[in-house]
Amino acid sequence: MAEDRAQETPETPEGDEPIKQRKNGLYPAVSDELAASMKSGWADTEQRDLEPIAQAPHTARRRAALSARFPGERLVIPAGNLRTRSNDTEYPFRASSEYVHLTGDQTHDAVLVLEPTTTGHDATAYLLPRSDRENGEFWLDGQGELWVGRRHSLAEGAQLLGIRCEDVRTLPERLAAATGPVRVVRGQDEGIEAALTDKVTAERDEEFKTFLSELRLVKDEWELGELRHAVDSTVRGFEDVVKVLDRAEATSERYIEGTFFLRARVEGNDVGYGSICAAGPHATTLHWVRNDGPVRSGDLLLLDAGVETTSLYTADVTRTLPISGTYTDLQRTIYDAVYEAQEAGIAAVRPGAKYRDFHDAAQRVLATRLVEWGLVEGPVERVLELGLQRRWTLHGTGHMLGLDVHDCARARTESYVDGTLEPGMVLTVEPGLYFQADDLTVPAEYRGIGVRIEDDILVTEDGNRNLSAALPRRSADVEAWMRDLRA
Ligand code: GLY
Ligand code: MN
Ligand code: MN
């Protein structure tokens, strides 16, 4: 049935007037003869037979959970719109994680609507149909088929996604006319929000977003497969970097960034966040994404990077590498303390443990080492109670991972930070120590050293699995791995 409705001729509110000319076009207005020529002589390619996407059964289950939570309410989940980069060029589009999670689709301007019924909800994906040949859109509009490629027809969309599909250009009017309670995911599509402005409240929409965030806390089997792909590609990207690190041309953080990015684009969609390619003292800046510094032998390279799969799941991995291939004594001492903290953190990841446990375990190790090194006055309990170690540890020890690098960020405190770990959760464990170049409270030789080690950990039924274990972590193992890759 869904497919039948999807094949109805869409209404195109703006599609009646012929498009005469592209803005800023070089050519004069389109003659009637050319317009007539462009309308005809094309093979019929409206309907191709497509296989449903592999995750369709999973997206259906996620929508069912959503439907059960909000009976009788109309639920609106936009993918988002293109954003102008400059003039008539756009940023690469990345659909909202909420929309992707519930549909598996990634197209811009799309909107998922769950319409309440007596038994639950009917799902409809409102999409842009193929660009129109009758009015010239397909060759005259900057988003037309001959400019940016073919969009799926609505019937194809229904086949792919397993959801009824309709023309999104009809949606604002439908929403404006609709009655009954509505919720919308805000911050993605101004046009859709404008159509709903009298019908929604910030508080109810916040509750909606929170639920969608919490729906992603436990990953299903399909998602875990994607996260494994993301991590495996990321491992290859790290190997790529190590292989070029001793090359004459690898003198800049930009070269490292570009090397990793090649892997991300060839095997995935993109990087899941701006790669942090921080050499020397830049490693003490937590999110160093400027990547405009030099790479010098004798310094450390903190590489924090993750491949985002074509399905938009991302890894988030950090290794702190000796650019020369060998850690100096002090670099090794600091590195080993972070390694020990990470080991303690990973050991605390298991079902039933409090989310905070792995953070506390890692912080205790770091505080202990800082006291031993004489950088802060003990005892360790006092340091932890007052949080004094944070001058050098700076950030939390991890976060959920998934479609977003900091996944499930809108979840309630009680279900995330104050919550309990469950099988199927995936989180990072990423302690670090950062001695700023201008920190006068530490000996001069510490200044400008930053170390972080970050792995992606799956909570299993009986403990955890380190998805990024293929990348060595012990200092001696890192050195041996670098030697082997460079040989
Ligand atoms: N790459 C950002 C983070 O580790 O959280
Ligand atoms: Mn990271
Ligand atoms: Mn992280």
Side-chain angles (χ1 to χ4, degrees):
M1 285 299 107
E3 283 73 10
D4 288 344
R5 288 199 52 182
Q7 288 178 47
E8 285 170 16
T9 309
E11 297 164 37
T12 50
E14 295 164 12
D16 299 335
E17 282 299 304
I19 296 173
K20 287 291 187 196
Q21 193 177 358
R22 258 177 71 73
K23 274 188 209 132
N24 302 324
L26 178 64
Y27 293 106
V30 176
S31 66
D32 291 345
E33 289 75 6
L34 176 58
S37 160
M38 291 302 288
K39 282 184 194 178
S40 60
W42 310 103
D44 179 6
T45 55
E46 181 63 11
Q47 175 65 59
R48 299 174 299 191
D49 248 355
L50 300 172
E51 289 293 312
I53 56 171
Q55 67 163 317
H58 298 280
T59 59
R61 260 199 299 279
R62 298 168 201 154
R63 290 192 302 273
L66 180 59
S67 169
R69 169 63 183 79
F70 296 105
E73 302 193 40
R74 181 173 283 101
L75 306 171
V76 182
I77 302 107
N81 314 123
L82 295 174
R83 281 200 306 127
T84 302
R85 182 177 189 274
S86 75
N87 188 27
D88 59 354
T89 59
E90 285 84 31
Y91 286 104
F93 178 71
R94 206 282 193 181
S96 76
S97 295
E98 291 88 353
Y99 177 79
V100 173
H101 191 236
L102 293 167
T103 63
D105 182 40
Q106 297 181 21
T107 56
H108 60 81
D109 296 314
V111 184
L112 172 69
V113 179
L114 266 59
E115 290 283 339
T117 64
T118 49
T119 53
H121 287 82
D122 279 343
T124 304
Y126 286 86
L127 308 173
L128 285 171
R130 282 187 72 188
S131 47
D132 202 315
R133 283 198 178 138
E134 272 308 298
N135 69 5
E137 181 193 357
F138 81 113
W139 74 288
L140 292 169
D141 186 272
Q143 290 299 318
E145 187 165 309
L146 300 197
W147 289 90
V148 296
R150 184 185 187 281
R151 294 193 290 259
H152 290 123
S153 69
L154 297 178
E156 289 170 341
Q159 245 178 355
L160 278 169
L161 306 178
I163 309 175
R164 172 173 53 225
C165 293
E166 298 202 21
D167 187 341
V168 71
R169 290 172 297 188
T170 67
L171 184 59
E173 211 174 308
R174 290 183 195 219
L175 289 176
T179 55
V182 189
R183 299 186 195 241
V184 63
V185 174
R186 297 189 179 202
Q188 299 296 338
D189 190 320
E190 284 179 13
I192 294 297
E193 282 179 45
L196 291 171
T197 183
D198 302 337
K199 305 177 194 295
V200 293
T201 69
E203 195 184 359
R204 284 161 43 78
D205 290 346
E206 196 57 36
E207 191 181 36
F208 184 37
K209 199 154 189 169
T210 295
F211 178 82
L212 291 173
S213 205
E214 294 184 1
L215 189 59
R216 302 195 338 239
L217 279 167
V218 174
K219 272 62 185 177
D220 60 39
E221 273 310 311
W222 189 88
E223 293 182 288
L224 293 179
E226 293 307 293
L227 281 165
R228 282 193 195 96
H229 287 313
V231 171
D232 292 348
S233 274
T234 299
V235 167
R236 290 188 281 276
F238 273 70
E239 290 169 351
D240 296 339
V241 168
V242 169
K243 284 180 193 164
V244 302
L245 207 46
D246 61 353
R247 284 205 198 146
E249 64 268 33
T251 57
S252 67
E253 294 170 344
R254 283 290 152 86
Y255 195 90
I256 305 303
E257 180 183 341
T259 301
F260 188 85
F261 184 63
L262 179 63
R263 180 66 65 173
R265 278 300 273 172
V266 169
E267 293 192 0
N269 175 59
D270 201 338
V271 288
Y273 53 93
S275 298
I276 298 164
C277 306
H282 288 160
T284 65
T285 302
L286 299 179
H287 285 175
W288 178 260
V289 291
R290 289 184 214 160
N291 299 341
D292 60 358
V295 169
R296 295 196 182 99
S297 185
D299 282 346
L300 296 174
L301 170 70
L302 186 157
L303 176 61
D304 180 343
V307 173
E308 178 187 69
T309 59
T310 53
S311 58
L312 307 187
Y313 286 79
T314 190
D316 180 12
V317 173
T318 306
R319 290 293 180 269
T320 305
L321 309 169
I323 293 163
S324 68
T326 309
Y327 295 101
T328 67
D329 289 346
L330 182 60
Q331 287 169 354
R332 189 185 310 276
T333 299
I334 296 169
Y335 183 95
D336 288 349
V338 175
Y339 170 74
E340 196 192 333
Q342 199 203 22
E343 282 284 275
I346 294 173
V349 174
R350 58 178 167 274
K354 301 300 288 177
Y355 177 83
R356 286 181 188 279
D357 288 354
F358 76 92
H359 171 72
D360 292 345
Q363 292 289 303
R364 176 168 292 277
V365 172
L366 295 175
T368 304
R369 293 290 162 263
L370 289 164
V371 170
E372 276 173 16
W373 298 338
L375 303 185
V376 62
E377 192 187 325
V380 170
E381 292 306 331
R382 169 187 167 269
V383 172
L384 289 170
E385 198 175 308
L386 299 177
L388 301 178
Q389 81 285 0
R390 292 176 59 186
R391 181 180 175 99
W392 303 284
T393 66
L394 292 177
H395 56 80
T397 308
H399 51 83
M400 296 293 174
L401 185 68
L403 279 167
D404 293 342
V405 61
H406 296 160
D407 211 36
C408 313
R410 305 299 278 266
R412 290 165 300 169
T413 309
E414 62 261 39
S415 17
Y416 185 170
V417 179
D418 286 342
T420 300
L421 297 181
E422 290 177 46
M425 290 179 167
V426 178
L427 48 105
T428 68
V429 178
E430 50 172 313
L433 281 175
Y434 311 92
F435 300 104
Q436 304 302 319
D438 57 355
D439 186 346
L440 302 181
T441 71
V442 300
E445 62 269 25
Y446 282 68
R447 297 176 199 158
I449 295 180
V451 173
R452 176 161 68 253
I453 313 173
E454 175 172 27
D455 284 80
D456 300 342
I457 311 293
L458 165 67
V459 183
T460 59
E461 294 294 335
D462 55 359
N464 71 64
R465 184 168 325 125
N466 182 350
L467 302 179
S468 40
L471 287 177
R473 292 184 295 128
R474 272 180 220 275
S475 51
D477 294 346
V478 170
E479 290 170 336
W481 169 71
M482 292 181 72
R483 248 191 328 272
D484 288 349
L485 283 173
R486 289 166 165 195

